[in-house]
């Protein structure tokens, strides 16, 4: 009985003792793992261990065990202590209690702030979102991840940088933006307040219709691009192309671009006309000035003709080169070539081709061709060969405008002499013109008309030629040899040679 009394007196009930101790940090940051460890002098004697926070029991164990807060929150701040029931003596138990320890859980970082730059973005421009916060100085090396949201939907998650660039924002992207910062382990996360972003739209202005090739000039069979553009305007713009003269609509395209193209792959003559385009954005519709489209026909196959005075072409002749591309739209640049050497270039601003006169003062036999060019590609005619020979005749006309006109000279034994005009008539000239391949007889002029007159020492060979007009050559006509004639009486002749005949 005394013993029991003694026991009762000595049993320490709910005493704060040195037997049970508590170990835990005083400070922690959100997300930390915090261990509250209570232990006795001999843990084997602990029958029940209870953890308290702010006076409320938070855990009970039936052996020695620590209490772990795996992801600390500020709400975990408070006063912690433990109580333990332990075997004291034989069947007598006693209760021990620790002192209490105050834990303060601090913020790892405050809620981030979202900054939008520029503040008033215009459509199509880039925008930078920054999610700024500050880590506790002694935890500044903690890795943070960032997420960005528009109207609650993630635009970008788990981004390692606090800045997020959007290359182009459109009006439809206006809304409430926010961001979130989070530790890499996801233990702590905080969201910013929402910021309202209103993307500004610039209305369309300065609508312009241009063509490629420029100037509205297109070649038949080629491609023409109608380029419609605006000087200003953002967002989706609807471009439409129209023909003013026929009222026809050629198509439309909607795109987030300040220019759009309409392709006419193969231009025909029917495409010529006046065109304009329009640009529409929201309720603004702006029209361009009209542009004239002209369809040019490119050169295709120029034809070269060479006209010579006679059946044969002799040294001294004048020939005419005619080059023409019948369909080509003017202006056309024609070039003439002899054996690849340029003879001349002539530009014509209306149809009908062009003629080039060539005097065959020397032997210019060989290949001729012409080239026509009206801007697309130069085209060559087929090659025309010209055979220039020495006149085989024993007669000639000198000092005329061409070899079919002039003072009459005949050759005897390697010497050239003249013919007297006694009885000189159209029959004689007809034979002469035939012999020279110069066509029909035209006149019987006096030789004096073709100065300079013959040299004093040059003989007169024929006094009278008595041709009946059908002979092939002057030599076939009956003749009277010269006996009394001066060079002031020399005969002349004009044949029709100027009426050139196609070669
Ligand atoms: C601890 O307590 C157990 C059980 O009461 C006992 O067996 C053991 O000897 C004690 N150890 C120490 C070091 O006192
Ligand atoms: C366009 O063509 C019309 C006639 O079709 C003409 O009156 C007008 O001058 C032309 N404009 C230009 C810029 O060539
Ligand atoms: C050119 O020659 C061709 C044939 O070679 C002929 O058909 C055409 O009429 C000639 N043109 C002229 C202008 O002489
Ligand atoms: C002219 O040019 C063509 C091709 O360009 C060539 O085949 C020809 O031999 C040339 N002729 C002369 C005479 O140079
Ligand atoms: C004709 O034009 C061509 C090319 O432009 C040039 O090389 C040539 O010399 C010109 N010919 C003459 C005779 O001027
Ligand atoms: C040129 O004409 C002469 C005389 O008519 C003839 O003998 C010669 O063979 C011709 N040459 C060519 C290349 O045609
Ligand atoms: C003219 O030149 C061509 C080629 O160069 C030659 O074949 C021909 O014999 C020449 N004719 C005369 C009359 O010299
Ligand atoms: C003209 O002269 C030629 C050659 O002397 C002769 O053959 C021909 O019969 C003559 N014709 C006339 C119609 O006299």
């Amino acid at each position: 009985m005394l013993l029991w009394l003694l026991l009762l007196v000595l049993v320490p009930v709910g005493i704060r003792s040195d037997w049970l101790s508590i170990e835990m940090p005083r400070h922690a940051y959100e997300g930390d793992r915090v261990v509250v460890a209570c232990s006795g002098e001999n843990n084997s004697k602990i029958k029940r261990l209870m953890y308290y926070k702010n006076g409320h029991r938070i855990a009970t164990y039936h052996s020695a065990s620590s209490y772990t807060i795996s992801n600390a929150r500020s709400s975990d701040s408070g006063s912690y202590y433990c109580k333990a029931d332990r075997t004291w003596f034989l069947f007598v138990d006693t209760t021990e209690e620790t002192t209490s320890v105050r834990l303060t859980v601090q913020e790892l970082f405050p809620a981030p702030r979202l900054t939008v730059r520029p503040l008033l973005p215009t459509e199509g421009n880039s925008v930078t979102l920054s999610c700024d916060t500050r880590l506790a100085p002694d935890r500044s090396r903690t890795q943070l991840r960032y997420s960005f949201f528009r109207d609650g939907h993630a635009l970008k998650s788990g981004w390692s940088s606090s800045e997020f660039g959007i290359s182009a924002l459109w009006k439809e992207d206006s809304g409430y933006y926010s961001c979130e910062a989070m530790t890499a382990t996801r233990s702590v996360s905080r969201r910013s307040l929402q910021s309202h972003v209103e993307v500004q739209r610039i209305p369309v202005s300065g609508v312009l219709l241009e063509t490629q090739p420029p100037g509205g000039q297109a070649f038949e069979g080629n491609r023409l691009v109608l380029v419609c553009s605006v000087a200003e305007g953002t967002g989706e713009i609807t471009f439409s192309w129209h023909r003013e003269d026929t009222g026809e609509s050629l198509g439309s395209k909607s795109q987030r671009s300040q220019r759009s193209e309409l392709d006419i792959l193969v231009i025909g003559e029917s495409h010529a006309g006046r065109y304009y385009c329009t640009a529409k954005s929201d309720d603004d519709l702006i029209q361009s000035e009209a542009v004239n489209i002209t369809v040019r026909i490119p050169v295709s196959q120029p034809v070269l003709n060479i006209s010579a005075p006679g059946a044969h072409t002799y040294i001294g002749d004048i020939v005419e080169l005619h080059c023409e591309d019948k369909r080509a739209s003017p202006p056309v640049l024609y070039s003439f070539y002899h054996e690849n050497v340029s003879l001349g270039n002539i530009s014509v601003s209306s149809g009908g081709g062009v003629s080039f006169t060539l005097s065959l003062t020397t032997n210019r036999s060989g290949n001729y061709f012409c080239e026509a060019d009206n801007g697309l590609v130069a085209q060559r005619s087929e090659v025309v060969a010209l055979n220039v020979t020495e006149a085989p005749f024993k007669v000639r006309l000198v000092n005329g405008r061409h070899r079919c006109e002039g003072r009459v000279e005949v050759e005897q034994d390697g010497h050239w002499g003249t013919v007297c005009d006694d009885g000189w008539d159209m029959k004689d000239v007809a034979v002469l013109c035939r012999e020279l391949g110069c066509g029909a007889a035209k006149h019987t002029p006096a030789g004096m008309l073709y100065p300079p007159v013959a040299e004093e020492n040059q003989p007169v060979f024929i006094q009278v030629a008595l041709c009946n007009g059908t002979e092939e050559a002057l030599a076939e006509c009956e003749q009277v040899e010269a006996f009394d004639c001066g060079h002031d009486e020399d005969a002349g002749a004009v044949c029709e040679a100027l009426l050139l005949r196609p070669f």
Side-chain angles (χ1 to χ4, degrees), residues 333-337 341-346 356 371:
L333 176 69
Y334 288 101
S335 308
F336 294 89
Y337 293 87
V341 174
S342 169
L343 296 171
N345 303 311
I346 303 169
F356 182 79
E371 209 173 64

Side-chain angles (χ1 to χ4, degrees), residues 215 245 273-274 290-294:
D245 44 1
R274 284 172 69 79
V291 167
N292 283 356
I293 303 292
T294 49

Side-chain angles (χ1 to χ4, degrees), residues 380-399:
R380 280 188 177 188
S381 70
E382 288 189 359
V383 163
V384 176
L386 187 63
N387 183 6
V388 184
T389 54
E390 201 82 60
F393 314 106
K394 296 293 185 184
V395 295
R396 68 183 184 193
L397 296 175
V398 300
N399 301 342

Side-chain angles (χ1 to χ4, degrees), residues 237-242 249-255 260-262 278:
I237 299 175
T238 302
F239 294 95
S240 306
W241 290 264
H242 306 268
S249 174
L250 298 139
S252 72
K253 288 182 189 173
S254 293
Q255 55 196 94
S260 186
E261 298 183 349
L262 182 81
T278 61

